[in-house]
Amino acid sequence: MPDMDPLALHEDVVPQIEALRLRRGVPLIVTDCDEVLMQFLVGLETYLETQGLWLDLRSYALTGNIKHHGTDEVFAASSMPGLMKGFFETSTHALIAVPGAADALKALSARAQIVVLTNVPFSERETRAKNLAAQGMDYPVVANKGLKGGAVKKLADMVDAPVFFLDDIPHNIASVARAHDASHRLHFIADKRLAKLMGQSPDSHFHTTEWSEAHDFIAARLDDSGF
């Protein structure tokens, strides 16, 4: 991963954040969606089957691991953007929630504000929000592009209170660590097959595949901070 500016913020993300009605002095939970709130991998595998493809989980990557049924020929890297575009357009509305996510966030919402920061295509932001709401997670959704450090820093400045960040991608966690070191960072990977392929991000404070454990970690830190 190139050494990119951890404070970089896409111009289309800024107005989404500025439109949020966040309360100053109230803790904030900023959570990713895919493989944190929604079962991304399971949904992707279902979509790949419709395209005559399958995912060979040899490493924590999509490019190079998607293969054609029958021949096992690797799906061309140059065609990946189109494949993923098709996946998000046809499947964002149908992804299934990670077990325990809705209940954990509902419990935590009594003590903290919640924002979903997701690298879903901008065109699918509303669909993602509707799918989350339909499964008990009716929280503001910010569609991001690129690293997440800049977005989290801007959100943190708006609340001036403890910030918790959950993501499955190490370079997003690293960017948040550089942009807002005071944040509490959770490396969350819902799919246990993926979790086995990657150890804990060195820039995270906690690693889990279970929302019950994430809830307890966040609740304990809120207790420590007097919230």
Side-chain angles (χ1 to χ4, degrees), residues 73-153:
E73 178 185 356
V74 175
F75 186 77
S78 60
S79 298
M80 282 297 296
L83 181 71
M84 296 311 297
K85 181 175 184 292
F87 165 70
F88 280 112
E89 288 178 348
T90 62
S91 304
T92 298
H93 74 284
L95 294 182
I96 303 301
V98 171
D103 288 342
L105 289 181
K106 182 179 180 180
L108 291 168
S109 68
R111 307 174 66 183
Q113 307 170 88
I114 298 168
V115 171
V116 179
L117 181 64
T118 172
N119 277 20
V120 72
F122 294 132
S123 61
E124 300 302 320
R125 177 192 177 196
E126 184 177 349
T127 300
R128 169 137 288 177
K130 288 181 178 178
N131 186 36
L132 284 163
Q135 298 183 72
M137 292 176 279
D138 189 7
Y139 305 109
V141 173
V142 174
N144 185 65
K145 187 172 184 178
L147 297 176
K148 296 184 177 179
V152 172
K153 178 63 166 61

Side-chain angles (χ1 to χ4, degrees), residues 35 39-55 62 66 69 83-84 86-88 90-96 191 193:
E35 285 309 322
Q39 298 179 53
F40 170 84
L41 185 61
V42 172
L44 177 62
E45 288 177 317
T46 299
Y47 174 73
L48 291 178
E49 286 292 329
T50 70
Q51 306 300 305
L53 301 168
W54 67 286
L55 180 61
L62 295 180
I66 293 177
H69 273 302
L83 181 71
M84 296 311 297
F87 165 70
F88 280 112
T90 62
S91 304
T92 298
H93 74 284
L95 294 182
I96 303 301
D191 194 292
R193 295 171 296 169

Side-chain angles (χ1 to χ4, degrees), residues 1 13 16 18-19 29 33 42-43 59 90 95 140 151 181 189 193 195 204-205:
M1 186 72 187
V13 178
Q16 296 180 61
E18 292 180 342
I29 297 170
C33 186
V42 172
S59 63
T90 62
L95 294 182
D181 182 62
I189 308 175
R193 295 171 296 169
S204 68
H205 301 104

